[in-house]
């Protein structure tokens, strides 16, 4: 049973916006992605998390028809991402992690070019988004900072009001105030019935906007969680200092206790709310000098549950391939 089936997949009325079924991509003997299945419903932001090199970008390139799967399928509103890529591109706005822009063209010229490819005039919408992001569309791309290049990629992705936004580290290099504006734009997109796949290696970034989060490690989808369900299982940091020495064995039997450490007279651990009563009874059976209990941040709790390495990991061949193009969604 896949994580999508066993960990609370969101059921939707009608057709799913995104459906990955057994999606697999191999490069020689290396499985960059292995049997990934998930769905994303209308109006949903799905946060796609994992350490660098885990398979996030490979998933995205398969979803937008830039790679052919070795097995399984990726579909957007029932359209096969590889066999019907032209039709899929009309439905998708794509922000790659490293936008590929035309250095000599201004932002306005990029907008005009992408509008031409889509056979529609999106200049008004592009100008509105650019103002909100504090982006000057009259400057050539070669003069833009990394953050402003990322803003331009966002403008090009959202200006056509696509049904699906595919976002690969979209706020990289963008300052926190502008990130808040981007999150507002994303919420407006989903309020209108659009959906988004938001890839990141930082849970705190997607926590503010995602409805569900999935974790990929070593090319496998290892967890799918609703944010509200994860918060309900919140961990508490517990630290106690006793007058006499204690042993870890005294507290190891409490169900749900994690990261238990005992150093002489000091105990520290993480415990779910359901375990606090049993843990406190054991603590209170000893003479206590000091005691602390506080709710752990959601990101720390998530990493504790699934053992996600916060440090950049080994980058697979699939992840190191450059992602070309700024905004997918033209007629092809």
């Amino acid at each position: 049973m896949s994580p999508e089936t066993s960990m609370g997949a969101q059921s939707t009325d009608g057709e799913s916006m995104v459906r990955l079924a057994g999606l697999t991509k191999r490069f020689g003997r290396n499985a960059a992605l292995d049997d990934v299945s998930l769905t994303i419903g209308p109006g949903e932001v799905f946060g796609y998390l994992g350490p660098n090199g885990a398979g996030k970008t490979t998933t995205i390139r398969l979803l937008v028809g830039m790679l052919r799967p070795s097995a399984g399928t990726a579909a957007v509103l029932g359209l096969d991402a590889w066999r019907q890529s032209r039709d899929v591109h009309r439905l998708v706005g794509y922000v790659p992690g490293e936008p590929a822009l035309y250095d000599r063209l201004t932002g306005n010229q990029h907008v005009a070019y992408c509008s031409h490819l889509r056979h529609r005039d999106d200049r008004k919408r592009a100008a509105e988004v650019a103002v909100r992001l504090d982006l000057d569309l009259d400057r050539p791309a070669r003069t833009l900072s990394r953050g402003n290049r990322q803003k331009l990629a966002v403008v090009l992705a959202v200006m056509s009001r696509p049904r699906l936004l595919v976002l690969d580290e979209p706020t990289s290099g963008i300052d926190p105030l502008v990130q808040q504006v981007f999150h507002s734009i994303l919420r407006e997109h989903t309020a209108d019935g659009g959906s988004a796949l938001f890839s990141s290696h930082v849970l705190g970034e997607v926590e503010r906007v995602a409805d569900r989060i999935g974790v990929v490690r070593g090319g496998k989808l290892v967890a799918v969680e609703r944010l509200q369900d994860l918060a309900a299982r919140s961990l508490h940091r517990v630290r106690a200092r006793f007058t006499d020495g204690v042993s870890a064995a005294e507290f190891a039997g409490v169900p749900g206790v994690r990261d238990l450490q005992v150093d002489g007279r000091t105990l520290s651990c993480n415990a779910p709310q359901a375990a606090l009563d049993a843990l406190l009874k054991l603590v209170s059976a000893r003479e206590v000098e000091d005691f602390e209990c506080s709710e752990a941040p959601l990101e720390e709790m998530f990493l504790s549950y699934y053992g996600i390495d916060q440090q950049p990991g080994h980058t697979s061949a699939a992840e190191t391939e450059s992602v070309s193009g700024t905004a997918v969604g033209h007629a092809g």
Side-chain angles (χ1 to χ4, degrees), residues 194-217:
S195 301
L197 175 67
F198 193 132
S199 171
S200 178
H201 66 279
V202 181
L203 174 61
E205 182 178 22
V206 301
E207 179 185 340
R208 294 185 289 274
V209 292
D211 302 293
R212 286 188 301 148
I213 47 181
V215 176
V216 61
R217 294 189 69 185

Side-chain angles (χ1 to χ4, degrees), residues 238-246 250-251 265-268 279-293:
V238 176
R239 182 180 179 277
R241 187 170 69 247
F242 304 92
T243 56
D244 298 312
V246 295
E250 296 179 52
F251 305 92
R265 298 185 297 121
T266 302
L267 160 76
S268 64
L279 181 61
L280 290 176
K281 286 177 179 176
L282 290 176
V283 170
S284 61
R286 292 271 193 162
E287 187 173 347
V288 179
E289 287 186 351
D290 191 24
F291 182 82
E292 298 175 12
C293 182

Side-chain angles (χ1 to χ4, degrees), residues 181-242:
V181 175
F182 170 76
H183 295 157
S184 296
I185 293 171
L186 187 56
R187 284 189 288 270
E188 292 164 10
H189 168 76
T190 55
D192 289 337
S195 301
L197 175 67
F198 193 132
S199 171
S200 178
H201 66 279
V202 181
L203 174 61
E205 182 178 22
V206 301
E207 179 185 340
R208 294 185 289 274
V209 292
D211 302 293
R212 286 188 301 148
I213 47 181
V215 176
V216 61
R217 294 189 69 185
K220 292 181 177 292
L221 186 67
V222 298
V224 175
E225 292 277 3
R226 295 180 189 272
L227 261 268
Q228 61 188 35
D229 294 340
L230 189 61
R233 299 204 311 270
S234 61
L235 289 174
H236 291 73
R237 296 169 170 166
V238 176
R239 182 180 179 277
R241 187 170 69 247
F242 304 92

Side-chain angles (χ1 to χ4, degrees), residues 167-189:
L167 311 167
D168 193 0
E169 307 278 357
T171 60
S172 176
I174 296 179
D175 68 72
L177 290 178
V178 178
Q179 286 184 27
Q180 293 180 23
V181 175
F182 170 76
H183 295 157
S184 296
I185 293 171
L186 187 56
R187 284 189 288 270
E188 292 164 10
H189 168 76

